[in-house]
């Protein structure tokens, strides 16, 4: 009983020490050089232990006070004005020599502000005090066994620059590193050194120890909308490896909530995390929470590259990285341009995805390309503007990098005048290194591919087209997937394949060149698994009764009917198993996130 009372009194004493330290003015400070600094200059240490940035005897003095030099403060002010804000991150190392282990010791971390400026501007202020921008917590709120961790706080107001920073801790500690970078708010316990990042107002470590993150206060730090010069940030979510992802029809999931919106995230074997773009979400800045906290290692709000902003010309050149499950209902109000929005598929890097406002805009970007790459009788031909204006290429498109390069090479060498949207397309492809400018009038294929759909398509068709075109994106960029598709194609029932060949060549709007083995394999795969496994048989059986099919291939259609499209169903099962095992996807579903 007596022992517990002593421990209780010690904790109370420690808390009082921190509270008092937070509001003690550091007057008539001595100026020493610290072992820490930036830009080749040491920080100014306000006491001797701050010189070493180490408090080895916190019972005697638990505080480290460090000031910025005039040059450092000016540099930080310029960065804040240029970048809109920065974060200051300090890495804290606990001294555990002799077997001492941290427990419920309290700590504070925050900014120092000058109470009066020095007369010359070259010396440190004669008085500084901690501001209200404090990060507070207890060491037992850190992950078990943690001996090194990082804290960061945002600096976003160049008119009220801090004079420096400080830390108090009732356990022996050292600040081993200080660095400045992009603003960030949230936490990351999945890295070797756990990071807890706070906004300009600071906060409580306990806010993050619960495995959630409230980004509401970040509205004052980041853009409120996508504008010509600014773009909304993203949330990076880290996940632990899933021990069991279930089956394709009963897949393991995690449930997240954000601003009243529910998100279901399917697990995959290789999944380490995912990105949530605020541009995709219905709410602005809100709290993110997961029902299974133990599975999450990171929730961090961080800026997108400024290059994503549309700019004064209203053109988006670089994509939002996202899961395709968020594209379908991405708010048009948050598009960066009126004509289209541009994405990169997080599951298949370098695959660019256009969602166009309507068929006309899509046609002006891609119809001439469609005839050049795929249309029988036109391949390799650059059709006229008049032709493009009167012909419908496809409701959705897909092109690999080498075909895109060949198109723009042909236009360059033939001095063919492309329209403004095709020139914009070339600029986008070059910017993202899907094609490479060889500087001799030719282009070579780089990494990735291009796929597109349009908002003009009705919802039911958009879902099918989204799946169809996305499978092409994987086919273009994943060699192992192409090999599996080729294996199935080469062993496919010959008469069922004859049906498919004639269908591809004769159906209005298709007119595929069936002599192109690569194209045939690609479309064979996509037409089979563009719909759920349960719908494959009906899809092909329905087509055997079309008048256009009966007119062009009555015997082949009868064969597919008599066999109940079994060859297509069997191939669908094999493809479904493969894409689930390797990507966590399934026939008819190319997304991991649902809402």
């Amino acid at each position: 009983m007596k022992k517990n009372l002593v421990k209780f009194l010690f904790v109370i004493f420690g808390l009082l020490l921190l509270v008092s330290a937070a509001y003690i003015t550091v007057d008539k400070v001595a100026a020493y050089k610290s072992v820490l600094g930036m830009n080749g200059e040491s920080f100014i240490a306000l006491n001797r232990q701050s010189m070493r940035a180490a408090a080895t005897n916190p019972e005697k003095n638990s505080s480290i006070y460090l000031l910025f030099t005039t040059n450092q403060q000016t540099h930080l002010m310029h960065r804040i004005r240029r970048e809109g804000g920065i974060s200051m991150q300090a890495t804290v190392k606990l001294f555990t020599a002799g077997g001492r282990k941290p427990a419920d010791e309290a700590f504070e971390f925050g900014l120092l502000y000058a109470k009066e400026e020095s007369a010359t501007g070259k010396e440190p202020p004669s008085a500084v005090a901690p501001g209200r921008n404090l990060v507070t917590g207890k060491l037992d709120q850190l992950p078990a066994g943690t001996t090194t961790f990082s804290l960061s706080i945002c600096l976003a107001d160049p008119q009220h620059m801090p004079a420096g920073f400080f830390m108090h801790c009732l356990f022996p500690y050292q600040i081993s590193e200080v660095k400045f970078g992009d603003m960030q708010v949230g936490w990351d316990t999945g890295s070797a050194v756990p990071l807890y990042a706070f906004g300009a107002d600071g906060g409580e470590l306990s806010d993050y120890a619960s495995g959630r993150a409230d980004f509401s206060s970040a509205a004052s730090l980041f853009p409120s909308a996508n504008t010509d010069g600014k773009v909304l940030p993203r949330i990076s979510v880290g996940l632990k490896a899933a021990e069991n992802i279930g089956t394709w029809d009963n897949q393991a999931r995690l449930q997240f909530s954000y601003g009243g919106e529910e998100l279901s995230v399917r697990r995959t074997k290789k999944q380490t995390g995912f990105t949530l773009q605020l541009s995709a979400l219905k709410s602005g800045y809100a709290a993110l929470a997961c029902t299974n906290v133990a599975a999450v290692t990171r929730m961090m709000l961080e800026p997108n590259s400024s290059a994503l902003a549309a700019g004064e010309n209203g053109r988006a050149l670089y994509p939002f990285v996202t899961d395709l499950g968020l594209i379908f209902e991405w708010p048009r109000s948050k598009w960066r341009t009126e004509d289209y929005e541009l994405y990169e598929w997080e599951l298949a890097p370098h695959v660019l995805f256009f969602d166009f406002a309507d068929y006309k805009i899509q046609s002006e970007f891609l119809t001439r390309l469609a005839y050049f790459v795929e249309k029988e009788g036109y391949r390799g031909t650059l059709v006229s503007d008049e032709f493009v204006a009167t012909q419908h290429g496809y409701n959705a498109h897909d092109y690999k990098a080498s075909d895109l390069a060949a198109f723009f090479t042909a236009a360059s060498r033939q001095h063919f005048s492309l329209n403004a949207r095709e020139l914009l397309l070339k600029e986008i492809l070059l910017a993202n290194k899907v094609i490479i400018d060889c500087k001799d009038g030719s282009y070579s294929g780089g990494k990735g591919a291009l796929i597109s759909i349009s908002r003009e398509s009705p919802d039911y068709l958009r879902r099918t087209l989204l799946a169809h075109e996305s499978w092409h994106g994987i086919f273009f960029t994943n060699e192992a997937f192409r090999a599996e598709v080729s294996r199935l194609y080469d062993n496919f029932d010959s008469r069922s394949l004859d049906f498919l060949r004639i269908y591809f060549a004769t159906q209005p709007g298709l007119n595929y060149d069936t002599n192109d083995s690569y194209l045939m394999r690609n479309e064979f795969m996509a037409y089979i698994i563009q719909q759920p496994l349960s719908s494959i048989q009906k899809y092909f059986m329905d087509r055997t009764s079309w008048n256009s099919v009966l007119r062009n291939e009555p015997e082949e259609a009868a064969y597919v009917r008599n066999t109940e499209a079994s060859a297509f169903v069997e191939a669908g099962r094999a493809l479904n198993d493969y894409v689930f095992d390797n990507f966590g996807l399934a026939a008819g579903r190319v997304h991991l996130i649902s809402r």
Side-chain angles (χ1 to χ4, degrees), residues 270-546:
K270 301 177 182 178
Q271 187 182 47
T272 59
F274 60 92
T275 302
L276 286 176
Q277 298 286 353
L278 256 65
S279 295
L281 302 173
K282 297 174 182 177
S283 300
Y285 295 89
L288 178 67
C290 180
T291 55
N292 185 356
V293 173
V296 183
T297 61
R298 175 182 172 91
M299 289 183 177
M300 191 69 72
L301 181 70
E302 51 198 12
N304 276 304
S305 168
S306 59
L308 268 66
E312 294 181 1
N313 54 23
R315 303 182 306 167
L317 299 183
Y318 295 95
F320 282 120
V321 174
T322 186
D323 182 82
L324 297 189
L326 298 173
I327 288 178
F328 192 78
E329 296 179 6
W330 196 287
R332 279 285 302 275
S333 61
K334 293 184 179 180
W335 277 20
R336 292 168 291 166
T337 78
E338 293 183 2
D339 291 349
Y340 66 90
E341 187 52 276
L342 179 64
Y343 312 100
E344 179 181 2
W345 192 1
E346 189 164 32
L347 187 67
H350 309 294
V351 174
L352 297 184
F353 197 109
F354 281 88
D355 196 0
F356 288 107
D358 56 45
Y359 287 147
K360 181 178 184 296
I361 294 170
Q362 180 175 241
S363 181
E364 291 175 355
F365 270 90
L366 300 174
T367 288
R368 193 178 346 249
L369 177 62
Y371 277 86
F372 180 90
V373 173
E374 290 185 351
K375 295 289 190 177
E376 187 175 12
Y378 294 93
R379 295 189 68 186
T381 300
L382 295 169
V383 297
S384 68
D385 288 343
E386 293 75 18
F387 187 95
V388 170
T390 58
Q391 299 297 316
H392 179 67
Y394 299 114
N395 289 338
H397 295 253
D398 61 272
Y399 305 102
K400 63 180 184 290
S402 59
D403 286 338
L404 294 163
F407 173 77
F408 288 106
T409 295
S412 173
R413 289 180 171 169
Q414 295 176 32
H415 303 289
F416 188 95
S417 295
L418 299 174
N419 67 43
R421 285 181 165 139
E422 289 167 328
L423 293 175
L424 173 56
L425 174 63
K426 181 173 70 172
E427 190 175 353
I428 291 170
L429 296 173
L430 287 169
N432 292 282
K433 296 181 171 56
V434 178
I435 64 173
I436 308 297
D437 188 347
C438 298
K439 306 301 183 183
D440 62 355
S442 68
Y443 300 87
S444 61
K447 292 183 178 180
L450 179 156
I451 53 182
S452 80
I453 58 173
S454 166
R455 286 285 172 114
E456 188 171 339
S457 298
D459 285 353
Y460 79 90
L461 182 57
R462 272 173 62 82
R463 294 185 186 279
T464 300
L465 293 174
L466 177 67
H468 181 103
E469 303 304 335
S470 301
W471 292 126
H472 286 319
I474 294 182
F475 186 89
F476 288 142
T477 58
N478 191 294
E479 184 177 355
F481 183 56
R482 288 198 299 273
E484 175 64 11
V485 171
S486 291
R487 183 188 69 81
L488 293 170
Y489 181 89
D490 292 340
N491 291 281
F492 193 66
D493 176 66
S494 60
R495 294 194 64 183
S496 296
L497 187 58
D498 288 340
F499 169 82
L500 200 59
R501 287 179 190 274
I502 301 171
Y503 178 84
F504 283 164
T506 60
Q507 282 301 299
L510 295 183
N511 304 120
Y512 293 140
D513 183 352
T514 57
N515 294 315
D516 186 333
S517 175
Y518 185 98
L519 175 64
M520 283 297 295
R521 284 165 166 75
N522 197 0
E523 298 297 344
F524 158 83
M525 171 275 302
Y527 273 90
I528 291 176
I529 57 171
Q530 67 183 6
Q531 57 267 311
L533 198 57
S534 60
S535 300
I536 293 175
Q537 182 183 54
K538 183 178 186 303
Y539 178 86
F540 286 98
M541 290 289 284
D542 284 351
R543 273 141 189 80
T544 64
S545 61
W546 285 7

Side-chain angles (χ1 to χ4, degrees), residues 49 52 54-62 95 100 169 171-173:
Q49 69 181 23
R52 296 179 292 111
T56 56
N57 187 5
E59 288 82 4
K60 183 178 180 180
N61 191 337
S62 67
F95 292 121
R100 185 173 181 179
C169 183
F171 191 91
Y173 72 98

